[in-house]
Amino acid sequence: MKINYDIKLEEIISSLDYTPKLLLHSCCAPCSSAVIERLTKYFDITIIYYNPNIEPKEEYEKRKNEEIRFIKEFNNINKLDIIDCDYDNDVYHELVKGMENEPEGGSRCHKCYNLRLEYTAKKAKELSFDYFGTTLTVSPYKNSQVLNQIGELLSNKYGVKYLYSDFKKKEGYKRSIIMSKEYGLYRQDYCGCIYSIRNNIEE
């Protein structure tokens, strides 16, 4: 049975009696836009930009710079900051070796989710954040059930609370498109890895 992770998010928010520190993994500025807008009233947010799957390097830098620009321009309520990370593209390729021909959205993608979320959880533990989470659930192309299951396992492993979410609910994805237009954000036409580029070409 599918779990409604948007309800779980609302339960967390409604229980807050302080402003927690949230380390929020983001894949790109468009995806983060509506998520930050929704959460800024409740959390001090630090975006962590860890996406070693994105290729080529020029594309990675372009998306990262758009994230930085959006954070500078957005009228946040509580704290909003960003942590830049190493590219680590070789780590990604070693991780998915032998899975190159897996279909988009399958086990290769789940490995990639785990790589990025585990890095976030470790960093959240290291830097004493109250919560960690990800903007990936805003995308209709990402499996929110799998993402939240990974987040829960990592929460138990590292002892940091995970912010459950399904940010595509409440028209979150639609709102991200609107905000992208408002801020003139670059919206990419593929997920990020070379395999998603290949899939776009084949389609």
Side-chain angles (χ1 to χ4, degrees), residues 74-141:
F74 180 71
N75 187 24
N76 49 296
I77 295 173
N78 287 308
K79 176 187 173 183
L80 180 60
D81 205 351
I82 186 168
I83 296 174
D84 190 4
C85 303
D86 293 334
Y87 184 35
D88 281 356
N89 185 239
D90 55 338
V91 173
Y92 168 74
H93 280 288
E94 184 63 30
L95 179 74
V96 301
K97 189 179 292 183
M99 307 175 75
E100 294 86 353
N101 294 317
E102 288 288 317
E104 195 72 6
S107 54
R108 185 187 65 245
C109 293
H110 298 173
K111 283 270 191 181
C112 183
Y113 298 165
N114 192 86
L115 174 66
R116 293 184 279 173
L117 275 172
E118 183 152 22
Y119 188 97
T120 304
K122 283 181 181 177
K123 189 63 70 173
K125 177 73 172 179
E126 176 189 328
L127 299 177
S128 300
F129 278 82
D130 300 297
Y131 286 87
F132 74 99
T134 181
T135 67
L136 288 170
T137 65
V138 79
S139 169
Y141 306 107

Side-chain angles (χ1 to χ4, degrees), residues 27-31 59 63 185-192 200:
C27 54
C28 63
C31 284
E59 177 73 15
R63 296 188 195 189
L185 298 176
Y186 163 66
R187 289 184 63 86
Q188 59 277 5
D189 60 3
Y190 66 99
C191 174
N200 272 12

Side-chain angles (χ1 to χ4, degrees), residues 168 171-179:
K168 69 179 70 64
E171 298 195 323
Y173 181 66
K174 180 179 178 181
R175 179 61 183 156
S176 74
I177 294 172
I178 292 170
M179 290 184 72

